[in-house]
Every structure is written in C-alpha cells, then in structure tokens.
Amino acid sequence: MPETIPLTERTRVVRESHRGAYDRETIYKILDEGFVCHIGFAVDGQPYVIPTLFARVGDAIYFHGSAASRMLRNVSDGISVCVTVTLTDGFVLARSVFNHSMNYRSVVALGKATLVDVPEEKLKALHAFTEKILPGRWNDARPPNEKELKASSILRLPLAEVSAKMRVGPPEDDAPDYALPVWAGVIPLSLRPGAPIRDERCDPSIPTPAYVAHYQR
Ligand SMILES: Cc1cc2nc3c(=O)[nH]c(=O)nc-3n(C[C@H](O)[C@H](O)[C@H](O)COP(=O)(O)OP(=O)(O)OC[C@H]3O[C@@H](n4cnc5c(N)ncnc54)[C@H](O)[C@@H]3O)c2cc1C
C-alpha cells in the first residue's frame, strides 16, 4: 500500500476532486520528473511567485533560496511557502471550446521552508540538484569550495502537507457535441533534449561524456 500524506483542509483538491492524489509514490514521481518549481511567499502583504530549480531528497525538497533567503535572515523558524511543480503532458482538443483542457500532473506543497546552514546538508542539496539535472555530472565538475558553499543559500521544505492533481485521457465532451464534425483528441507534449552544443571555450580534445551525448528523458 502506498503511504498517503494526511489530507488537510488546505490540501483537499476541490474542483474535479477525483483528479487529486495524496500518496507519496505519485507525488514523488511528479517531483522527480520536474526540474522547475514555483515558490510562492508573501512579504508585507505582497505575494511573490519565483521559479527556481529544486530537488527532492527523501521526504523534503531543497531549492535555491536567493529570493526568499533575504527575508529569512531574521526569521529563524522559517517562512511560509507554497511550492508548485507542473508537468504539461498534452493539449486536449474537445469538440466545444468550453471543454478544451490540458493533460497535466502537478504538485502543490505547503509548509515552512527553513534555511539550510549545515555545510554537509548544503552539499547534499547541491549534489541532488546536480545529479538530478544529469546523473554523473557531480563527479566530473569541480566541487563547490568553502566560499561558494557559503554563498549558496538553500532552503528546505519538509513534504508534510502536499497534494497532487492529474488530468489524463481524451477530451470529455457534452453528449450532443460528439455528433459535431470537429476533430477532437490530444496533442501529446514532452520535454525533449536537443543535440549538445559544446562551449566555444571547451578544449576540443575533451571528449563529450556519454551522459551528455546520450542524454535521454
Ligand atoms: C497546466 C494546467 C492547466 C490547468 N488549467 C485549468 C483551467 O483551465 N481551469 C481550471 O479550473 N483549472 C485548471 N487547472 C487546475 C488548477 O490547477 C486547479 O486545480 C483548479 O483551478 C482549482 O482546483 P481547486 O478547486 O481544488 O482549488 P483550490 O481551492 O485553489 O485548491 C485547494 C487545494 O487543492 C490542491 N490543489 C489544487 N490544484 C492543484 C493542482 N493543480 N495540483 C496539486 N494540488 C492542487 C492544493 O493543495 C490546494 O491548496 C490546471 C492545472 C494545470 C497544471
């Protein structure tokens, strides 16, 4: 049985509630496939939503805290955030404009993000970011030095109040509209890597690593 995250009044999916999911397996799969999250937080009543890279390690996510960390300097117990990750899987073309939709998988996580100040944990988060982008990269690139580690502000959000929502499948039209002579179906969408482009200043004698040459998603 997959472990379910306890539902709260804040994480209950309301509209199309059958699309909601609260088990860690579903939620973690979406988080691990996504690269970019959007972090929402409020400062003096003004909401900000900032896109940034993230990685999941166990039951928490780590993200760069360049924006939120400014406020965190004086808030030792953390800052309330809403983190959203969205995977767009397809355009859903219905017979009526109203029933057009998207296939997607998304996660919303609520809670208090805290600044990571233990160097070993910072290193673990940077390792997770790097290996998530490209497994094998951490061992090839120069590791962060003490100054760089100090300059990296990283936030940690425990995955305790989280929901997923997914739409899959064909369009859902109103019964009479199925008779309309209108093309209907799904245009699948996916993130595809292109051919690698060598940096002009990269010594041509350096071979392209296999994880770059054969990168697949
Ligand atoms: C690419 C994309 C396109 C979408 N297009 C539309 C659209 O055109 N119209 C529309 O009504 N909705 C759309 N949605 C769904 C939208 O994200 C919300 O789910 C919906 O607007 C409101 O749901 P709710 O009543 O549960 O919201 P709320 O009451 O705002 O949410 C209650 C709680 O439900 C959970 N929740 C809500 N939405 C999500 C989600 N997407 N993923 C994970 N948890 C969630 C959160 O924990 C939230 O706190 C789209 C989603 C995606 C990812």
Side-chain angles (χ1 to χ4, degrees), residues 10-15 86 102 104 106-108 163-165:
R10 305 198 303 177
T11 52
R12 185 185 302 279
V13 172
V14 182
R15 194 170 175 269
T86 308
M102 277 198 79
Y104 64 84
S106 56
V107 166
V108 172
S163 57
K165 194 170 176 182

Side-chain angles (χ1 to χ4, degrees), residues 9-17 21-22 82 84-88 100-110 161-166:
E9 271 320 299
R10 305 198 303 177
T11 52
R12 185 185 302 279
V13 172
V14 182
R15 194 170 175 269
E16 309 275 13
S17 59
Y22 307 92
C82 173
T84 305
V85 174
T86 308
L87 307 174
T88 47
H100 277 65
S101 190
M102 277 198 79
N103 281 340
Y104 64 84
R105 288 163 291 152
S106 56
V107 166
V108 172
L110 306 172
E161 200 176 353
V162 198
S163 57
K165 194 170 176 182
M166 288 161 290

Side-chain angles (χ1 to χ4, degrees), residues 192-212:
R192 288 262 171 267
I197 303 164
R198 181 178 286 262
D199 178 12
E200 279 175 10
R201 294 172 68 179
C202 180
D203 182 342
S205 71
I206 299 172
T208 307
Y211 60 74
V212 172

